[in-house]
Structure formats: C-alpha cells, structure tokens
Amino acid sequence: MKPSTENKNDVKFLGDMPADQFRKFGYELIDWIANYFENVEDYPVLPHIKPGDIRKQLPLSPPDEGETMEKILKDIDKIIVPGLTHWNHPNFMAYFNSSSSGPGILAELLAAVFNSNGMLWRTNPSSAELEQHTLQWLRQMLGMPEDFWGIMYDTASVASMHAIAAAREQAGINVREKGLAGRNDLPKLRLYASEQAHSSIDKSAITLGLGLESLKKVPTDDEFRMLPDELDKAIKEDKKNGLLPFCVIATVGTTSTTSIDPVSNIADICEKENLWLHVDGAHGGSAAIIPEMQWIFKGVERADSFLINPHKWLFHPVDITAFYTRKPEILKRAFSLVADYLKTPEENIVDNYMNYGIQLGRRFRALKLWFTIRYFGVEGLRDRLRYHLFLGKEFTTWLDAYPAFERMAPVPMSTICFRLHPKNINDENKLEELNLGFFKEIDTNSEILISHTRLNGKYVLRVNMSGLRMELRHIKKAWEIIKTKAEEILTKL
Ligand code: PLP
C-alpha cells in the first residue's frame, strides 16, 4: 500500500530491512566471505570475459518492486564473481597489490553501519579523534617526527593534489581569491617530479589549472632515481627564464620499479630554494615500518608533506591514504571555507577535517586502520612485509640465474622488471615484438596476472609481491609458468 497523506491512519511506516532478515543474510554473507577467502585460489585471477558481458546479464530497467535478498545474493555468484579480477588471489602479481584483510573488512562493515559523516568533529567525534590518533600511531611506525599532522584522503592521487594545492598556497600568489586564469601579474608556475613519478602528478597539474607544461620531469640515474643536480639545474634555469618554481615531488617507491629518490639531497635543494617538498610513498612508503628498511624514508622528515597508501601494502580494503604535513595551517588556508550552517561552538579547539580538503563529507576510514594495526600488531605487519621482501629476493635470484632473461632494474623492494632477451637478438624492435608476445602468452593462457611497463623506452614485464595471501609456493609456481612460456617461445625461435 502506498502511504497517503490525507488520512494519518493510512500512513504506513516503511523503514529498513527487518532485523531478523538483516541477521539471517548478514550471517550468510559472512559465511560466503569466509568461503571465498578459503577458496580464492580456485578462481581464475583474471576473468575470462569480454567487454559488455556483465551488462548484458542485467535488466535494462530497475525493478519496480523489491526483490528478495536470496535473489540478489544469487546474482553475486552468477553475475558479479565471474566478472571479478581477484586482487586477493595469491597469483595476482600485477600493478601494486591491494589485498584486503579480515580486520579491515570487518571495520568497513562497521563504518557502513555507523555511516557517520566525519566532516566536523561534532558530526562524529569518534571518527575525528580516531583518525588523528591512528595516524599518529602510523607516523610513529614510520619513524617520522611528531610535528607531522595527519589526515586521511581516499587515494594517493587526491592526496598529492592537495599537497600541490598547499604548495601553491605557500607560494603567496593568492590563487584562492584570484584564481589563475586571466592574470597578467603572474609568471608561469613550475612543479618538479622525476620522469618516473606517478601519472597522478600530471593529473594534479591538469586539475589545479597549472597545465601539463608547468610540470618539469627531472631526469633519473641508471637506477631510476631523480638526479638532484638535474633538479637544481632546472630550478636555476627556470628562475632565470622568469618562471616561478613552487613545489617538488619526490617518490619513495616509484610505480614502475620502486626506485627511491634521494630525498635528503632533494630536501637540501628545496630548503635552499624555499620550495614545498612532497614525498609520494604510495606503495613503497609502507616498508619504512620495518626498522631495517627505514633508510628508504631518510630525508622524508624534512619534507613539507608525504603520503602512504595503507590500501596498497598494509592490507586495507580500498580506499585509504594517510597524508601528513608539517604545515597544516597552509593546507587549511588553501581549502577552509566555513558556511554558516557548518559553524560549531568547538571549532576553535578541534580540527574539523572538512577544512583541509575539497570534500565535505568523509567516511570513517580510521576504523580500518585501528582494527588492522591492533589485530596484526606492528610486529605482525612488519613480518608480513618482510616476507614479501624475501619473496621478491627469491624471484630475483631465479631470474638472474636464467640466461635468456634480462633484469631491467634494481629490486629495492619486491617488484621486479625484466624481459626476454635471447643472446642472439639485439635489435630493439625485435625485442619489443618478442616481449609483447611473451606478455600476451602469460596474460591470456596462464593462471597468474602480471603487468608491464616501459623503462628507457623498452617494453618490460613486471611482477610485484605484496599480496597478503602470497606464499613461496605461489612464487615458485609463477616462476615455473614464466620460465615455461619463455622456453616455448625460445624453441619456436
Ligand atoms: N603514487 C604512486 C607511486 C603509485 O604507484 C600510485 C599507484 O600505483 C599512485 C600514486 C596512485 O595511487 P591511487 O590509486 O591511490 O591514487
């Protein structure tokens, strides 16, 4: 019956799913999830489907009447699972892994239940304070000093964009009021990152109205690390030409090879030139929680801001980015705008997170950081990352011992770039063709998922070991598959 407003007695309470149904299907779903993780290896890591295969199974219009949960859950198995790329699969060795852990998943469930919007301290004091507190825990784990203030954003891309916006604010050119367009009182702004920096930096330049031309890609050495002398030279040249340098991005763990920029040397230059230094440690930065790996963060303590992605290498469900800055007041100056309806009595004594970014509403992400750190413990997380470093070393040893493979970059963490390079082929075009075919063979016919990149213009294959469910046996199997495919190709040659 539809609610009628004419007669109050006709108005029917509509409400949510009844508690008994929620309980029944909640238990069912938790069982389903536990079974999924127990059997995740039985799924193909990459689905065998074509574009459009999922949509053609879905009705063109939404249902007028509600459907049963039985029917909805059945479609998970029938339609959704066959179309999943299984990031939790231990044979997922592509990109940077983001595998989710039990405690992270349970925390996400609770976050959805509370569904509180942490835009202001008042709109969810627990979220605001847990966010501050867990970020301070994580800062301690990373060995970073106390003057770093933290905030959670969704992705590394968005966090870096906020860093660059804060850097622009620091440059004192009043973009906040006047914008950039149509101004003849402004020189061209200049932002620096290495040739190996993530494409999100380019996207920030686009989004912030700086334009791609404002991003200077600094050359790297033969280990794909930014050359500080080249940075210094570029800044001097730009200044001579009337440009306004304002920000440098260093990367700890670049996307292709996990190379580590010399942050201390870059910090020297930034301090001398008064430029904002932001460090992108999206994937690799997490390794700094291991005492013997803390060297990778040398110099980051002098940065103006840095980030890591717990959703990459600390087993959190996507998304969560931990962003830190020593200059929260500048970030706030760039973004704070308090509409009258958002004013609160305690605004002078609390951090209202809405003031530190473009979004107003925010998820309760701190719960998953709290659950995950507490459940595994700092030592438990360190041991898991250490194991991945061990897996990376094992794979590298096997690869280096096999003459037809050429390793294309050092392996400071657990990401390995290589290509097939038979002794008798040295023509780069032929090698490219050979490796494109090699990748296709692995991608279409096998049980593992790897990715590719380009280094010094050369097409290379790339494997990454940072999945929570990865064991030595999976790496051994992956190596067997890669080696066998290579041998098949070499025999045909
Ligand atoms: N920075 C680096 C170094 C990355 O490797 C990546 C993704 O792999 C990103 C940023 C972007 O991460 P997100 O997907 O969280 O925006």
Side-chain angles (χ1 to χ4, degrees):
M1 192 214 301
K2 298 219 172 5
S4 143
T5 46
E6 279 160 27
N7 180 349
K8 276 202 182 133
N9 294 332
D10 283 351
V11 178
K12 224 177 143 193
F13 174 71
L14 297 170
D16 190 16
M17 171 189 267
D20 60 334
Q21 273 207 41
F22 185 84
R23 201 167 275 119
K24 172 173 160 25
F25 294 109
Y27 291 150
E28 233 172 72
L29 201 55
I30 294 290
D31 277 342
W32 188 97
I33 294 166
N35 289 336
Y36 171 73
F37 280 132
E38 271 173 1
N39 301 308
V40 69
E41 289 184 48
D42 297 344
Y43 296 99
V45 58
L46 189 71
H48 301 303
I49 60 162
K50 295 184 299 305
D53 279 357
I54 304 300
R55 286 199 68 182
K56 74 181 177 211
Q57 298 177 72
L58 302 169
L60 284 178
S61 315
D64 279 336
E65 303 296 329
E67 297 181 333
T68 62
M69 277 308 289
E70 280 93 347
K71 196 163 171 233
I72 297 169
L73 291 180
K74 236 185 216 154
D75 282 346
I76 294 292
D77 285 315
K78 190 169 147 243
I79 303 173
I80 302 301
V81 174
L84 286 178
T85 299
H86 295 274
W87 284 67
N88 289 302
H89 200 301
N91 293 347
F92 185 104
M93 294 166 191
Y95 315 110
F96 284 135
N97 220 292
S98 39
S99 39
S100 50
S101 62
I105 293 165
L106 294 175
E108 281 287 65
L109 184 62
L110 265 184
V113 172
F114 298 144
N115 201 29
S116 59
N117 189 333
M119 55 204 192
L120 300 163
W121 177 87
R122 161 177 294 238
T123 59
N124 187 355
S126 287
S127 169
E129 297 196 14
L130 198 66
E131 182 159 335
Q132 285 184 330
H133 206 79
T134 49
L135 284 172
Q136 291 310 308
W137 281 5
L138 187 60
R139 175 191 56 72
Q140 287 169 28
M141 289 161 64
L142 294 164
M144 287 293 107
E146 270 178 24
D147 59 345
F148 276 107
W149 170 96
I151 181 168
M152 292 177 187
Y153 295 120
D154 50 8
T155 55
S157 306
V158 165
S160 285
M161 191 205 68
H162 282 84
I164 297 167
R168 191 175 61 178
E169 178 64 25
Q170 177 178 260
I173 50 174
N174 201 6
V175 174
R176 184 187 160 106
E177 297 304 324
K178 295 186 171 178
L180 284 173
R183 283 178 74 174
N184 50 19
D185 62 330
L186 264 192
K188 210 170 175 58
L189 272 67
R190 194 62 124 177
L191 163 70
Y192 304 83
S194 96
E195 290 166 347
Q196 294 291 320
H198 188 258
S199 55
S200 55
I201 306 305
D202 307 55
K203 282 198 175 180
S204 292
I206 298 170
T207 312
L208 293 169
L210 303 165
L212 287 173
E213 282 180 10
S214 71
L215 174 57
K216 171 79 183 167
K217 298 271 176 89
V218 181
T220 53
D221 64 12
D222 54 3
E223 297 195 8
F224 306 102
R225 301 170 297 197
M226 187 194 282
L227 284 164
D229 286 350
E230 292 290 329
L231 171 67
D232 201 32
K233 208 166 84 192
I235 294 170
K236 288 201 170 89
E237 212 167 285
D238 284 344
K239 279 180 143 177
K240 206 167 77 197
N241 292 329
L243 276 76
L244 179 63
F246 74 103
C247 181
V248 178
I249 314 290
T251 312
V252 171
T254 55
T255 312
S256 288
T257 70
T258 66
S259 62
I260 297 148
D261 284 340
V263 181
S264 290
N265 299 339
I266 296 169
D268 289 342
I269 298 170
C270 290
E271 280 167 14
K272 190 176 70 181
E273 300 286 352
N274 192 25
L275 306 180
W276 184 289
L277 172 59
H278 171 62
V279 180
D280 175 359
H283 166 81
S286 294
I289 69 165
I290 307 173
E292 61 273 24
M293 285 297 286
Q294 209 140 63
W295 62 269
I296 65 171
F297 256 24
K298 194 164 179 308
V300 179
E301 74 283 356
R302 292 163 63 196
D304 296 288
S305 57
F306 73 93
L307 67 85
I308 73 156
N309 265 160
H311 73 224
K312 287 198 169 69
W313 205 1
L314 286 178
F315 321 124
H316 287 61
V318 175
D319 52 30
I320 171 172
T321 299
F323 175 83
Y324 294 89
T325 176
R326 289 194 292 131
K327 297 176 176 168
E329 71 289 350
I330 297 184
L331 182 65
K332 189 172 178 180
R333 219 164 65 207
F335 288 105
S336 174
L337 191 97
V338 187
D340 206 58
Y341 43 82
L342 293 170
K343 290 197 164 69
T344 59
E346 59 281 329
E347 65 189 12
N348 293 325
I349 51 167
V350 297
D351 271 336
N352 284 324
Y353 274 124
M354 70 159 193
N355 290 327
Y356 297 87
I358 52 168
Q359 66 182 99
L360 172 66
R362 43 202 341 273
R363 304 181 56 225
F364 197 170
R365 292 192 181 88
L367 269 181
K368 56 186 164 186
L369 192 57
W370 196 45
F371 272 40
T372 307
I373 295 176
R374 290 181 68 183
Y375 180 80
F376 290 115
V378 179
E379 275 308 325
L381 289 170
R382 284 179 181 147
D383 285 345
R384 282 165 176 80
L385 267 57
R386 279 190 185 108
Y387 186 62
H388 295 149
L389 297 174
F390 156 76
L391 295 179
K393 278 207 173 59
E394 287 293 285
F395 192 92
T396 306
T397 309
W398 304 330
L399 190 86
D400 286 350
Y402 193 87
F405 286 131
E406 179 185 12
R407 184 150 59 79
M408 302 301 282
V411 184
M413 300 190 198
S414 57
T415 299
I416 301 118
C417 292
F418 64 101
R419 68 175 178 172
L420 198 51
H421 189 167
K423 277 203 178 66
N424 56 342
I425 304 182
N426 280 312
D427 179 277
E428 277 303 328
N429 292 331
K430 282 203 181 122
L431 285 172
E432 166 111 6
E433 199 183 319
L434 187 72
N435 280 285
L436 283 168
F438 182 33
F439 178 81
K440 199 165 163 211
E441 271 298 307
I442 296 172
D443 198 52
T444 48
N445 301 329
S446 82
E447 301 149 57
I448 56 173
L449 185 67
I450 69 169
S451 55
H452 62 87
T453 187
R454 204 169 274 282
L455 296 173
N456 294 324
K458 294 167 185 163
Y459 181 87
V460 306
L461 280 65
R462 180 184 171 284
V463 291
N464 163 249
M465 279 121 207
S466 56
L468 183 57
R469 293 165 184 85
M470 247 178 212
E471 296 171 32
L472 186 58
R473 66 188 168 96
H474 302 111
I475 306 303
K476 281 186 176 157
K477 184 174 166 188
W479 169 245
E480 278 310 314
I481 291 170
I482 290 170
K483 194 169 60 123
T484 308
K485 297 274 177 217
E487 278 162 2
E488 282 167 17
I489 289 178
L490 293 174
T491 312
K492 277 189 213 148
L493 283 178

